[in-house]
PDB file of all heavy atoms in Angstrom:
ATOM      1  N   ALA A 297     -14.388   3.386   6.527  1.00 93.00           N
ATOM      2  CA  ALA A 297     -14.167   3.996   5.219  1.00 93.00           C
ATOM      3  C   ALA A 297     -14.666   3.102   4.076  1.00 93.00           C
ATOM      4  O   ALA A 297     -14.782   1.899   4.301  1.00 93.00           O
ATOM      5  CB  ALA A 297     -12.650   4.253   5.033  1.00 93.00           C
ATOM      6  N   PHE A 298     -14.918   3.672   2.939  1.00 93.00           N
ATOM      7  CA  PHE A 298     -15.171   2.853   1.765  1.00 93.00           C
ATOM      8  C   PHE A 298     -14.237   3.390   0.658  1.00 93.00           C
ATOM      9  O   PHE A 298     -13.529   4.403   0.816  1.00 93.00           O
ATOM     10  CB  PHE A 298     -16.623   2.928   1.310  1.00 93.00           C
ATOM     11  CG  PHE A 298     -17.143   4.180   0.716  1.00 93.00           C
ATOM     12  CD1 PHE A 298     -17.186   4.298  -0.698  1.00 93.00           C
ATOM     13  CD2 PHE A 298     -17.547   5.236   1.448  1.00 93.00           C
ATOM     14  CE1 PHE A 298     -17.594   5.474  -1.295  1.00 93.00           C
ATOM     15  CE2 PHE A 298     -17.981   6.432   0.790  1.00 93.00           C
ATOM     16  CZ  PHE A 298     -18.008   6.545  -0.545  1.00 93.00           C
ATOM     17  N   PHE A 299     -14.134   2.580  -0.405  1.00 95.00           N
ATOM     18  CA  PHE A 299     -13.184   2.838  -1.473  1.00 95.00           C
ATOM     19  C   PHE A 299     -13.901   2.980  -2.798  1.00 95.00           C
ATOM     20  O   PHE A 299     -14.816   2.235  -3.081  1.00 95.00           O
ATOM     21  CB  PHE A 299     -12.161   1.725  -1.577  1.00 95.00           C
ATOM     22  CG  PHE A 299     -11.343   1.558  -0.288  1.00 95.00           C
ATOM     23  CD1 PHE A 299     -11.846   0.796   0.803  1.00 95.00           C
ATOM     24  CD2 PHE A 299     -10.079   2.071  -0.187  1.00 95.00           C
ATOM     25  CE1 PHE A 299     -11.139   0.627   1.953  1.00 95.00           C
ATOM     26  CE2 PHE A 299      -9.316   1.907   0.954  1.00 95.00           C
ATOM     27  CZ  PHE A 299      -9.823   1.216   2.018  1.00 95.00           C
ATOM     28  N   ILE A 300     -13.395   3.894  -3.639  1.00 94.00           N
ATOM     29  CA  ILE A 300     -13.818   3.997  -5.029  1.00 94.00           C
ATOM     30  C   ILE A 300     -12.668   3.576  -5.882  1.00 94.00           C
ATOM     31  O   ILE A 300     -11.564   4.100  -5.787  1.00 94.00           O
ATOM     32  CB  ILE A 300     -14.236   5.424  -5.394  1.00 94.00           C
ATOM     33  CG1 ILE A 300     -15.326   5.916  -4.441  1.00 94.00           C
ATOM     34  CG2 ILE A 300     -14.745   5.486  -6.887  1.00 94.00           C
ATOM     35  CD1 ILE A 300     -15.573   7.452  -4.464  1.00 94.00           C
ATOM     36  N   LEU A 301     -12.859   2.558  -6.718  1.00 96.00           N
ATOM     37  CA  LEU A 301     -11.806   2.029  -7.556  1.00 96.00           C
ATOM     38  C   LEU A 301     -11.686   2.897  -8.746  1.00 96.00           C
ATOM     39  O   LEU A 301     -12.578   3.116  -9.577  1.00 96.00           O
ATOM     40  CB  LEU A 301     -12.197   0.569  -7.993  1.00 96.00           C
ATOM     41  CG  LEU A 301     -11.136  -0.282  -8.714  1.00 96.00           C
ATOM     42  CD1 LEU A 301      -9.853  -0.417  -7.917  1.00 96.00           C
ATOM     43  CD2 LEU A 301     -11.732  -1.623  -8.983  1.00 96.00           C
ATOM     44  N   LEU A 302     -10.428   3.417  -8.935  1.00 94.00           N
ATOM     45  CA  LEU A 302     -10.157   4.316 -10.034  1.00 94.00           C
ATOM     46  C   LEU A 302      -9.443   3.633 -11.214  1.00 94.00           C
ATOM     47  O   LEU A 302      -9.636   3.956 -12.325  1.00 94.00           O
ATOM     48  CB  LEU A 302      -9.318   5.499  -9.553  1.00 94.00           C
ATOM     49  CG  LEU A 302      -9.924   6.408  -8.459  1.00 94.00           C
ATOM     50  CD1 LEU A 302      -8.976   7.453  -8.018  1.00 94.00           C
ATOM     51  CD2 LEU A 302     -11.221   6.982  -8.917  1.00 94.00           C
ATOM     52  N   SER A 303      -8.549   2.672 -10.890  1.00 94.00           N
ATOM     53  CA  SER A 303      -7.917   1.890 -11.983  1.00 94.00           C
ATOM     54  C   SER A 303      -7.519   0.539 -11.394  1.00 94.00           C
ATOM     55  O   SER A 303      -7.381   0.337 -10.204  1.00 94.00           O
ATOM     56  CB  SER A 303      -6.688   2.602 -12.486  1.00 94.00           C
ATOM     57  OG  SER A 303      -5.674   2.628 -11.519  1.00 94.00           O
ATOM     58  N   GLY A 304      -7.470  -0.488 -12.357  1.00 96.00           N
ATOM     59  CA  GLY A 304      -7.134  -1.784 -11.969  1.00 96.00           C
ATOM     60  C   GLY A 304      -8.412  -2.592 -11.613  1.00 96.00           C
ATOM     61  O   GLY A 304      -9.493  -2.075 -11.734  1.00 96.00           O
ATOM     62  N   THR A 305      -8.255  -3.856 -11.184  1.00 97.00           N
ATOM     63  CA  THR A 305      -9.335  -4.669 -10.805  1.00 97.00           C
ATOM     64  C   THR A 305      -9.080  -5.374  -9.435  1.00 97.00           C
ATOM     65  O   THR A 305      -7.871  -5.553  -9.129  1.00 97.00           O
ATOM     66  CB  THR A 305      -9.673  -5.799 -11.847  1.00 97.00           C
ATOM     67  OG1 THR A 305      -8.475  -6.602 -11.985  1.00 97.00           O
ATOM     68  CG2 THR A 305     -10.071  -5.202 -13.145  1.00 97.00           C
ATOM     69  N   VAL A 306     -10.124  -5.645  -8.737  1.00 97.00           N
ATOM     70  CA  VAL A 306     -10.046  -6.308  -7.473  1.00 97.00           C
ATOM     71  C   VAL A 306     -11.015  -7.481  -7.390  1.00 97.00           C
ATOM     72  O   VAL A 306     -11.979  -7.478  -8.110  1.00 97.00           O
ATOM     73  CB  VAL A 306     -10.272  -5.353  -6.250  1.00 97.00           C
ATOM     74  CG1 VAL A 306      -9.217  -4.281  -6.216  1.00 97.00           C
ATOM     75  CG2 VAL A 306     -11.680  -4.769  -6.304  1.00 97.00           C
ATOM     76  N   SER A 307     -10.739  -8.442  -6.569  1.00 97.00           N
ATOM     77  CA  SER A 307     -11.621  -9.541  -6.316  1.00 97.00           C
ATOM     78  C   SER A 307     -12.255  -9.428  -4.914  1.00 97.00           C
ATOM     79  O   SER A 307     -11.515  -9.019  -3.956  1.00 97.00           O
ATOM     80  CB  SER A 307     -10.863 -10.892  -6.353  1.00 97.00           C
ATOM     81  OG  SER A 307     -10.469 -11.154  -7.628  1.00 97.00           O
ATOM     82  N   VAL A 308     -13.539  -9.721  -4.834  1.00 95.00           N
ATOM     83  CA  VAL A 308     -14.299  -9.732  -3.594  1.00 95.00           C
ATOM     84  C   VAL A 308     -14.304 -11.235  -3.232  1.00 95.00           C
ATOM     85  O   VAL A 308     -14.827 -12.043  -4.001  1.00 95.00           O
ATOM     86  CB  VAL A 308     -15.700  -9.212  -3.736  1.00 95.00           C
ATOM     87  CG1 VAL A 308     -16.404  -9.259  -2.450  1.00 95.00           C
ATOM     88  CG2 VAL A 308     -15.703  -7.823  -4.316  1.00 95.00           C
ATOM     89  N   VAL A 309     -13.733 -11.579  -1.998  1.00 96.00           N
ATOM     90  CA  VAL A 309     -13.613 -12.984  -1.597  1.00 96.00           C
ATOM     91  C   VAL A 309     -14.192 -13.128  -0.224  1.00 96.00           C
ATOM     92  O   VAL A 309     -14.186 -12.265   0.596  1.00 96.00           O
ATOM     93  CB  VAL A 309     -12.148 -13.483  -1.652  1.00 96.00           C
ATOM     94  CG1 VAL A 309     -11.614 -13.433  -3.100  1.00 96.00           C
ATOM     95  CG2 VAL A 309     -11.259 -12.664  -0.712  1.00 96.00           C
ATOM     96  N   LYS A 310     -14.702 -14.343   0.079  1.00 93.00           N
ATOM     97  CA  LYS A 310     -15.321 -14.696   1.325  1.00 93.00           C
ATOM     98  C   LYS A 310     -14.672 -15.906   1.945  1.00 93.00           C
ATOM     99  O   LYS A 310     -14.244 -16.829   1.190  1.00 93.00           O
ATOM    100  CB  LYS A 310     -16.785 -15.005   1.170  1.00 93.00           C
ATOM    101  CG  LYS A 310     -17.683 -13.903   0.847  1.00 93.00           C
ATOM    102  CD  LYS A 310     -18.313 -13.146   1.934  1.00 93.00           C
ATOM    103  CE  LYS A 310     -19.083 -13.843   3.001  1.00 93.00           C
ATOM    104  NZ  LYS A 310     -19.226 -13.028   4.188  1.00 93.00           N
TER     105      LYS A 310
END
Side-chain angles (χ1 to χ4, degrees):
F298 75 97
F299 299 82
I300 304 167
L301 187 58
L302 301 177
S303 68
T305 59
V306 297
S307 291
V308 181
V309 297
K310 289 272 302 163

